């Protein structure tokens, strides 16, 4: 059984999981009530006051073919869990969960290398549960509590891990294809004009589809472009 290591405070659950990757076992979870240096994607800060759910899952898979898709699977599981609780959550590629266009959850996945070779994947998840103040976040954000959903952090974590761990073996073997239809059903951006920030540049276009590999297909003035990583703004 995967263990859940609970801390009152950490600098970052991702940093802890990476530093202790050797002692941790496949599937172990590191959780903190608050983070003093929570990290977001693209070197952004993740404000991590008490009341949010902050955790990292450490995976040591034998098969690394579909690693980026595991983050998308986690996003799908969060989205589905939140919908089960009654909020109309949707996905913003690649792995944000929004409710009414406000950010509810974000994921930062990081790789641990050992002698330049893949050793482990850390999937770090932040979910706004009942923080008193989200005004510092720097973008429109919402918590479950503000949506009138009252759930304890540990219950949310338990539901989420159950769903994620049940879907993980198939996702490891088959990648995005094993959950792509469900992902796309909760992704409302197909046909919409968006801007993708990736590799230091910005590209505007119309979202055509999410491919069977989980990449974003964008109609641009230069033709069809495929993004495997990036930040999407609608
Ligand atoms: C993002 O949307 O930019 C990703 C945010 C990820 C935040 C989580 S909170 C738990 C884990 N530890 C961190 O330092 N970051 C991730």
């Amino acid at each position: 059984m995967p263990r859940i290591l609970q801390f009152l405070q950490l600098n970052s659950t991702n940093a802890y999981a990476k530093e202790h990757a050797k002692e941790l076992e496949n599937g172990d979870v590191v959780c903190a009530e608050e983070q003093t240096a929570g990290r977001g994607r693209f070197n952004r800060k993740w404000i991590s006051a008490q009341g949010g759910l902050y955790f990292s899952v450490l995976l040591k898979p034998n098969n690394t073919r579909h690693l980026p898709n595991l983050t998308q699977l986690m996003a799908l599981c969060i989205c589905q869990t939140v919908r089960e609780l009654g909020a109309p959550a949707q996905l913003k590629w690649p792995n944000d969960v929004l409710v009414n266009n406000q950010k509810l959850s974000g994921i930062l996945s990081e790789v641990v290398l050992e002698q330049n070779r893949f050793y482990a994947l850390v999937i770090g998840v932040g979910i706004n549960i009942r923080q008193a103040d989200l005004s510092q976040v720097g973008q429109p954000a919402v918590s479950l509590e503000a949506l009138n959903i009252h759930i304890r952090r540990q219950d949310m974590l338990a539901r989420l891990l159950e769903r994620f761990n049940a879907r993980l073996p198939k996702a490891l073997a088959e990648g995005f294809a094993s959950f792509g239809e469900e992902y796309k059903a909760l992704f409302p951006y197909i046909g919409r004009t968006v801007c993708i920030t990736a590799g230091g540049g910005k590209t505007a276009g119309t979202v055509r589809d999410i491919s069977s590999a989980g990449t974003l297909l964008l109609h641009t003035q230069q033709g069809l472009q495929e993004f495997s990583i990036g930040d999407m703004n609608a």
Side-chain angles (χ1 to χ4, degrees), residues 11-15 35 37-41 44 46 48 53-56 96 103 105-108 124-126:
N11 56 354
S12 153
T13 58
N14 268 29
Q35 299 183 118
R39 302 200 303 248
R41 295 176 73 224
R44 292 189 283 244
W46 184 261
S48 310
L53 175 60
Y54 314 110
F55 70 93
S56 302
D96 280 355
K103 187 148 165 170
S105 168
I107 308 178
L108 172 67
V125 178

Side-chain angles (χ1 to χ4, degrees), residues 144-216:
L144 288 180
E145 185 100 332
L147 295 164
N148 225 5
I149 293 172
H150 309 286
I151 184 165
R152 293 187 312 168
R153 291 162 50 259
Q154 62 266 42
D155 293 340
M156 183 70 189
L157 179 60
R159 279 183 187 229
L160 201 48
L161 291 176
E162 190 180 346
R163 191 182 284 266
F164 179 75
N165 287 330
R167 307 291 302 265
L168 185 59
K170 210 158 192 282
L172 277 169
E174 296 169 21
F176 190 75
S178 73
F179 59 87
E181 289 309 315
E182 289 164 81
Y183 183 102
K184 280 168 43 168
L186 296 175
F187 175 74
Y189 295 90
I190 292 176
R192 280 169 56 177
T193 303
V194 301
C195 182
I196 306 293
T197 308
K202 285 185 192 292
T203 312
T206 308
V207 179
R208 176 158 160 198
D209 205 354
I210 305 277
S211 76
S212 59
T215 56
L216 185 93

